[in-house]
Amino acid sequence: MTAPVNLTAALASFDDVYSPRIVARMNDYDVRVAHTLGEHVWHVHEHTDEFFLVLDGRFDVALRDPDGTERTVVLRQGDTFVVPKGVEHKPSSPGGSILMFEPSGTSTTGDRHEGAIPDHVDSTTGHAL
């Protein structure tokens, strides 16, 4: 990738939700953008943190403590949040778009997930733009 990538144009190039596109690579990390709508799945990334930046709309991240206690972090346009490695989480959104930093090869449904993966959630390591 040797040319600038416009995030607005990148997001306009696809409609799928929870199906991230890789807009850049930095060292061993992917910079991904995705549309969000509806519920994701409970999942965990055992060995990496997950960074979110809300580009548009609202993005909620439910977090589950080891004792089973749950809380939800509500993010709006311009907000960032990092889910620490090993923390179970479940994204959801009434609609929006996000930017994520993750090590290349990181699955959108984590190292393990809870339950069946809904049809609208793409279990992927990212797609080329």
Side-chain angles (χ1 to χ4, degrees), residues 110-129:
D111 299 314
R112 60 182 166 82
H113 64 274
E114 183 177 295
I117 298 172
D119 290 340
H120 68 277
V121 173
D122 187 7
S123 185
T124 180
T125 58
H127 298 283
L129 184 58

Side-chain angles (χ1 to χ4, degrees), residues 79-99:
D79 290 344
T80 65
F81 185 71
V82 175
V83 176
K85 65 183 174 185
V87 173
E88 286 185 283
H89 58 287
K90 180 182 179 182
S92 63
S93 176
S97 58
I98 57 173
L99 181 139

Side-chain angles (χ1 to χ4, degrees), residues 1 8 11 23 44 67 73 81 89 94 101 113:
M1 298 179 196
T8 302
L11 286 161
V23 296
V44 64
D67 68 2
V73 177
F81 185 71
H89 58 287
F101 281 95
H113 64 274

